[in-house]
Amino acid sequence: MTTIEFLRQFKLGEYAIFDLVASFLGIYLLSPFLSKIFKKIRLDIPKINWIYLTLPIGILAHLLIGKITPMTRDLLDLNSSYLLKILIVGLLFFGLKNVKIIRRTK
């Protein structure tokens, strides 16, 4: 068993705690850089909003590359996981709540 397999064996329901912690920690560390990059394209995204957007971005990324994870599968299943669906929609709402378009000044 490799180290990553060992770390992924600890789960919260079906979801690996290691993957969730790594995602949130990665976005936390990248958020200052991401906010600066998006300011260049005239979007002001506060650093805390990146934390809210972590799971929605992760699910979108997995869909785009065609890797169906347990969370992606549960989100796409229309007949179950309603709490997950509510959580993702809530995170998306709070993640986009304070995003502002920066107007050009003349």
Side-chain angles (χ1 to χ4, degrees), residues 27 30-53 57 94-102:
I27 288 291
L30 288 174
S31 64
F33 304 109
L34 292 171
S35 291
K36 284 181 185 178
I37 290 169
F38 276 82
K39 275 190 180 178
K40 291 182 182 194
I41 59 171
R42 298 178 33 222
L43 281 177
D44 182 24
I45 304 175
K47 293 172 187 75
I48 189 67
N49 286 43
W50 289 109
I51 300 297
Y52 291 128
L53 292 171
I57 289 170
F94 285 113
L96 297 175
K97 186 176 179 185
N98 293 323
V99 174
K100 295 177 180 72
I101 298 173
I102 301 170

Side-chain angles (χ1 to χ4, degrees), residues 19-100:
D19 292 342
L20 292 171
V21 170
S23 298
F24 282 104
L25 182 62
I27 288 291
Y28 174 77
L29 294 173
L30 288 174
S31 64
F33 304 109
L34 292 171
S35 291
K36 284 181 185 178
I37 290 169
F38 276 82
K39 275 190 180 178
K40 291 182 182 194
I41 59 171
R42 298 178 33 222
L43 281 177
D44 182 24
I45 304 175
K47 293 172 187 75
I48 189 67
N49 286 43
W50 289 109
I51 300 297
Y52 291 128
L53 292 171
T54 301
L55 291 180
I57 289 170
I59 290 170
L60 180 63
H62 283 103
L63 284 172
L64 290 174
I65 64 171
K67 174 86 171 138
I68 302 300
T69 63
M71 189 176 290
T72 306
R73 181 195 67 226
D74 290 346
L75 189 71
L76 294 176
D77 183 9
L78 297 176
N79 298 318
S80 67
S81 303
Y82 299 112
L83 191 58
L84 175 66
K85 290 172 179 59
I86 292 168
L87 175 70
I88 298 299
V89 169
L91 288 172
L92 193 58
F93 172 77
F94 285 113
L96 297 175
K97 186 176 179 185
N98 293 323
V99 174
K100 295 177 180 72

